[in-house]
Each structure stands twice: as C-alpha cells, then as structure tokens.
Amino acid sequence: MRTARVSRPTRRGLLAMGGAVGLGAVLAACGDSDSKDSGSTGSKSADAGPWSFEDDRGQTAQATSVPKNIVAFTGVAAALHDYGIEVKAVFGPTKTKDGKADVQAGDLDISKVEILGNVWGEFNVEKYAALGPELLVTAMWEKDALWYVPDASKDKILKLAPSVALWAAETTIPKAIQRHEDLAASLGADVKDAKATAAKARFEKAAARLRAAAKSKPDIKVMVGSASQDLFYVSLARMSADTRYFQELGVKFVEPKVNAAGFFEELSWENVDKYEADIIMMDNRSSALQPDALTSKPTWTQLPAVKAGQVVPRTTEPIYSYDKCAPILEDLAKAIEDARKTA
C-alpha cells in the first residue's frame, strides 16, 4: 500500500479534524484495495438529454444526460438522499469505529454505498474509477478547495467525471439549502412534493422560534467550541453557514481573536476560561472530543456554562436539507429559552 508523506496539516485539514482538532494527525494515503460495486444509483426521475449545473466556484458541470452514477461527500450525499437522489459512493466521515453510521451520514443506508474514504486524506482513486462516475459532488469551505478530496490525488480524481462544489462557509443555512435543492432538482428530484414542502414549513417555523428566543433573552451569549486532547477551539460565528445564520436571527456569540486562517482561536486548556459564555455549543463530529470525555479537565468543569448544564451539541457540518436543518434551529431555540445568565 502506498503511504503519504507526513506533513503539516493544511488549513482545510485543520477544519476537517474537529473544527479543528487533531493537530498531530497524519494525512492518510489513498487506498488501493479492490472491491465490487455496491449501492443504489441515480435519481428517482432522471430525464434524458443534456444536463448542466453551475456550482459555487462558478464552474459549470456538463453531461450528455442527467448523471446517475453519483459520488459525493457524505454530508452532501445525505442531503441529496433527503430529496430522493441516491448516490453510488461516498467519501468523508461515514462509519464510526463501531461500524455505525457517522453523524454526517444522516439517513443514508451506509451498507448500500461504496465508501471510498472514511477519514481526512483517504480517497480510493482506483475504486472511484471502477465505479464509472458521472458526477462528483462535495462541499467547499475555501474558494476552489474541494472538501475531503485530497490535494495529492485531486488532479487524477477530477479527470474522471464532472464535479460540483457547494459552499459550506461564509454563507447561511437557507442559502446552502437552496443550492443543494437546486442541485437535487437538476438531478431529477421533486423538490415541491409534500414531504419537502412540510420540511420547509417546519424549518421556517423553527427559524421564527429561534428569532423570538434570541429576542427574549438578548443577554445570553453563546460560545462555539471544539475540543481536542491538547487544545480548545473557539470558532468565529460569521464564518460558518449555521452560526452565521443564527447571528442573523439575533443570537449573540463570543467573538474570538482568530488565527490567520480566520475560522477559530486555539486555546490551551489552562486558558479555556478566556471568554464568558452562558451556552457552549460543542462540535458533534466524530473527530472532536465530546463533553463526556472532558470531565478530567478541571478548567472545563469549572466553566459557568458547564456547571449550569448549558452545554449543547453543535452540528458543525449540517446536512443541507430542510428536513435535517429544522431540528438544529429547534434545539438551539430551546437551549436559549431554557438558559439562565451565568456570566
């Protein structure tokens, strides 16, 4: 098996590893094992004829017919699934160590999709080529940087099929949902069916509830955190689609002094009390340490929000469908409604 050179993680790598965590992690190589094709393919109503879609890079993906063999980043695949579009294979966090579906897999049946890579730096190019891909879809946290597509093999990967990249940063949840919905519709989804319409209505109701909760408790301040063994990361709300939208709805956030990358500030555990916060939203990705793993850290347990039991999960990489984003808004609204001032 080929192995990658050990190198300092890139900015995208840091974002991936827990928002970001795991600074000492080594980027894994692309696998080269063989496997048989598996999983369902295509859309439920793909029309014949030329197909095109302009993505958030400003690039237009084109094909002679609507793509059916679709490969996507796990979270994007989960969003497409919610609109009735199934993919052939995925890459990115899909399966946990115990074999269960990762939080980013949503309602995907992970037993029915080929997993080309499960962690940062993994993408089995040989398996990808063997699938006969007709479209590659992923997220974009930095302009023109394809999420979970390794830089080392990017050129080989992009030669095999048209690609689409959709913004996950410096946008808002409604805008991101709309773009995923646009893509799903182009692939044959009925985005106006009863299920989709009901999900959108629930989302809009949840947004109104969150706006009302934030207005009723204007002094409640929220900190966006992510934990690793050695560092605690405080994220800048306006950089991510979820927290930027929460800001637009009136939620007040801690404003960290971010590093050069612009997304977060790194704090040692000795300095984790640098900012006062009434609610802490903690990165729920499998790459980040969860609150129950932090009980041995005295500075964590002494934080006012922790002592008050006002620590809630943050869906750091939302699945951009109304169905999956409505509960995110509802949960934060409830957290603010129930919160008391601690600092």
Side-chain angles (χ1 to χ4, degrees), residues 132-162:
E134 297 174 335
L135 180 65
L136 177 80
V137 190
T138 191
M140 184 169 63
W141 285 78
E142 297 177 279
K143 180 65 174 175
D144 299 327
L146 303 185
W147 196 230
Y148 272 79
V149 175
D151 289 335
S153 51
K154 179 181 66 175
D155 291 344
K156 292 180 181 179
I157 293 167
L158 294 183
K159 287 179 180 178
L160 295 171

Side-chain angles (χ1 to χ4, degrees), residues 3 30 124 137 223 230 267:
T3 57
C30 291
N124 193 313
V137 190
M223 181 163 66
D230 299 321
L267 299 176

Side-chain angles (χ1 to χ4, degrees), residues 53-342:
F53 184 86
E54 184 175 351
D55 74 357
D56 292 347
R57 295 170 296 180
Q59 297 184 16
T60 300
Q62 296 179 316
T64 56
S65 61
V66 176
K68 296 180 179 180
N69 275 3
I70 303 168
V71 176
F73 170 70
T74 303
V76 177
L80 292 175
H81 170 83
D82 285 351
Y83 287 106
I85 304 298
E86 303 301 339
V87 305
K88 185 76 171 179
V90 296
F91 54 95
T94 306
K95 184 184 295 185
T96 60
K97 292 179 180 178
D98 60 4
K100 296 180 180 179
D102 188 275
V103 64
Q104 295 189 60
D107 292 335
L108 284 177
D109 184 343
I110 63 172
S111 69
K112 293 184 178 180
V113 291
E114 186 80 65
I115 300 174
L116 301 178
N118 198 56
V119 299
W120 183 260
E122 285 186 354
F123 192 113
N124 193 313
V125 181
E126 290 79 9
K127 283 185 179 180
Y128 178 61
L131 292 170
E134 297 174 335
L135 180 65
L136 177 80
V137 190
T138 191
M140 184 169 63
W141 285 78
E142 297 177 279
K143 180 65 174 175
D144 299 327
L146 303 185
W147 196 230
Y148 272 79
V149 175
D151 289 335
S153 51
K154 179 181 66 175
D155 291 344
K156 292 180 181 179
I157 293 167
L158 294 183
K159 287 179 180 178
L160 295 171
S163 63
V164 164
L166 300 177
W167 272 119
E170 300 186 60
T171 183
T172 64
I173 286 179
K175 291 178 181 178
I177 291 175
Q178 185 61 59
R179 294 296 288 144
H180 285 71
E181 190 173 271
D182 291 343
L183 177 60
S186 80
L187 294 170
D190 180 0
V191 298
K192 303 297 183 183
D193 66 9
K195 178 182 177 182
T197 300
K200 184 174 183 180
R202 180 184 174 185
F203 177 88
E204 291 172 344
K205 182 178 180 180
R209 178 183 173 185
L210 180 54
R211 187 188 296 276
K215 185 176 181 179
S216 70
K217 293 193 174 181
D219 295 332
I220 293 296
K221 184 167 284 190
V222 180
M223 181 163 66
V224 183
S226 184
S228 72
Q229 190 59 44
D230 299 321
L231 295 171
F232 184 79
Y233 302 85
V234 182
S235 292
L236 186 62
R238 69 171 180 267
M239 297 300 288
S240 299
D242 60 333
T243 46
R244 185 170 185 154
Y245 183 52
F246 303 156
Q247 276 189 315
E248 291 184 356
L249 294 175
V251 178
K252 303 296 191 302
F253 286 95
V254 165
E255 296 282 332
K257 296 180 180 179
V258 296
N259 60 22
F263 283 87
F264 49 80
E265 178 179 0
E266 300 135 321
L267 299 176
S268 67
W269 283 104
E270 290 76 12
N271 296 313
V272 74
D273 60 353
K274 178 177 180 178
Y275 298 105
E276 294 183 346
D278 306 295
I279 296 173
I280 303 176
M281 298 179 69
M282 289 293 286
D283 188 347
N284 74 337
R285 292 178 293 181
S286 55
S287 53
L289 291 183
Q290 299 305 303
D292 59 4
L294 302 177
T295 56
S296 63
K297 297 186 180 295
T299 51
W300 167 260
T301 58
Q302 291 304 307
L303 291 176
V306 176
K307 293 172 73 173
Q310 294 177 178
V311 178
V312 298
R314 177 202 176 198
T315 304
T316 306
E317 293 187 55
I319 294 167
Y320 289 115
S321 68
Y322 289 114
D323 183 70
K324 293 298 181 293
C325 288
I328 295 173
L329 272 63
E330 292 167 349
D331 290 347
L332 182 56
K334 185 177 189 307
I336 293 174
E337 290 163 355
D338 295 345
R340 62 179 178 83
K341 189 69 181 170
T342 65

